């Protein structure tokens, strides 16, 4: 019979490094003045990304991806950096690139594609939504507003229903009124630091009752085994 009386505290199971899985749209704007329209792309992947395989897509007044395509003139996007593409320098000063591709209204979908596949989007294909799409419980939020991706979002999302959400808590976006002016300077994303949890366990004269017990008992043999187990 095993006779053990152990008290162990482990800093275990890094729950993911949290880096963004790919580039994504961090900000979108459709203003009330002039052609105040822009989109911001964020790189939180942990490495510089070559943009040769990435393009912007647009659909006007309903339809299918892509009706319009824009290829970036910037070659590389550094980790932690943003790239802003806007309609013109008068209405949106300080952008990285300007092109009339950014001529959407609130009912026009804007997407980021990679190697010919949609990666992320504001709006969706299909029928014209009317004045715009609802976001975070705000009616027609894609018109006369800017959408800012929440800092907790670390991945692109082609499912517009889940991205837009039904209220402020379920949405991936924050909605703010926008007339004209520059994009917000950069993007904040909590996607770079690892997270960990401290677990404490003990047992005496019995079978292990958790993955932590099991690694001491010999049922698991490596830290990799432990990291892949449900420790609850």
């Amino acid at each position: 019979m095993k006779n053990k009386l152990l008290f162990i505290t482990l800093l275990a199971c890094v729950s993911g490094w949290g880096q963004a899985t790919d580039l994504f749209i961090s900000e979108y704007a459709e203003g009330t003045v002039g052609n105040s329209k822009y989109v911001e792309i964020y790189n939180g992947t942990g490495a510089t990304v070559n943009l040769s395989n990435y393009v912007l897509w647009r659909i006007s007044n309903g339809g299918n991806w892509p009706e319009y395509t824009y290829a970036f003139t910037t070659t590389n996007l550094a980790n932690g950096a943003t790239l802003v593409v806007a309609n013109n320098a008068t209405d949106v000063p300080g952008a990285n690139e300007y092109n009339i591709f950014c001529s959407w209204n609130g009912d026009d979908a804007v997407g980021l594609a990679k190697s010919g596949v949609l990666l992320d989007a504001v709006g969706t294909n299909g029928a014209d939504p009317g004045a715009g799409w609802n976001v975070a419980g705000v009616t027609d939020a894609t018109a006369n507003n800017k959408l800012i991706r929440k800092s907790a979002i670390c991945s692109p999302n082609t499912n517009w229903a889940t991205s837009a959400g039904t209220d402020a808590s379920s949405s991936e976006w924050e909605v703010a009124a926008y007339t004209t002016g520059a994009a917000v300077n950069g993007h904040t994303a909590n996607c770079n630091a690892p997270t960990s949890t401290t677990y404490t366990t003990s047992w005496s004269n019995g079978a292990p009752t958790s993955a932590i017990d099991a690694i001491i008992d010999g049922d698991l043999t490596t830290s990799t085994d432990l990291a892949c187990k449900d420790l609850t």
Side-chain angles (χ1 to χ4, degrees), residues 129-201:
W133 282 277
N134 300 341
V135 181
V138 178
T139 302
D140 299 334
T142 52
N144 305 328
N145 289 306
K146 67 171 65 174
L147 307 182
I148 302 170
R149 213 72 176 257
K150 291 180 178 177
S151 61
I153 302 304
C154 297
S155 300
N157 189 355
T158 58
N159 187 326
W160 175 240
T162 60
S163 177
T166 57
D167 54 29
S169 61
S170 64
S171 179
E172 294 184 359
W173 304 88
E174 297 173 353
V175 181
Y178 175 64
T179 55
T180 189
V184 175
N185 185 21
H187 178 68
T188 300
N190 300 322
C191 299
N192 293 314
T195 56
S196 59
T197 305
T198 299
Y199 294 90
T200 301
T201 187

Side-chain angles (χ1 to χ4, degrees), residues 29-37 91 104-105 142-146 176-181:
E30 198 279 328
T32 59
V33 175
N35 284 306
S36 302
K37 307 166 196 294
D91 294 325
W104 51 76
N105 294 310
T142 52
N144 305 328
N145 289 306
K146 67 171 65 174
Y178 175 64
T179 55
T180 189

Side-chain angles (χ1 to χ4, degrees), residues 50-221:
N50 184 283
L51 297 177
S52 60
N53 292 325
Y54 294 83
V55 295
L56 293 175
W57 283 355
R58 193 182 90 224
I59 301 173
S60 293
N61 304 316
N64 298 312
W65 301 106
E67 291 181 354
Y68 303 91
T69 299
Y70 173 77
F72 301 108
T73 59
T74 302
T75 302
N76 296 308
L77 186 60
N79 177 55
T82 56
L83 175 67
V84 177
V85 183
N87 182 281
N88 68 89
T90 300
D91 294 325
V92 189
N96 304 100
E97 301 179 15
Y98 292 100
N99 195 278
I100 59 171
F101 170 87
C102 300
S103 296
W104 51 76
N105 294 310
D107 61 344
D108 302 330
V110 179
L112 174 66
K114 178 182 181 182
S115 300
V117 178
L118 185 66
L119 184 65
D120 198 16
V122 173
T124 187
N125 62 328
D128 189 324
W133 282 277
N134 300 341
V135 181
V138 178
T139 302
D140 299 334
T142 52
N144 305 328
N145 289 306
K146 67 171 65 174
L147 307 182
I148 302 170
R149 213 72 176 257
K150 291 180 178 177
S151 61
I153 302 304
C154 297
S155 300
N157 189 355
T158 58
N159 187 326
W160 175 240
T162 60
S163 177
T166 57
D167 54 29
S169 61
S170 64
S171 179
E172 294 184 359
W173 304 88
E174 297 173 353
V175 181
Y178 175 64
T179 55
T180 189
V184 175
N185 185 21
H187 178 68
T188 300
N190 300 322
C191 299
N192 293 314
T195 56
S196 59
T197 305
T198 299
Y199 294 90
T200 301
T201 187
S202 63
W203 75 93
S204 176
N205 295 330
T209 59
S210 72
I212 295 176
D213 296 343
I215 197 171
I216 306 303
D217 197 48
D219 296 321
L220 303 176
T221 58

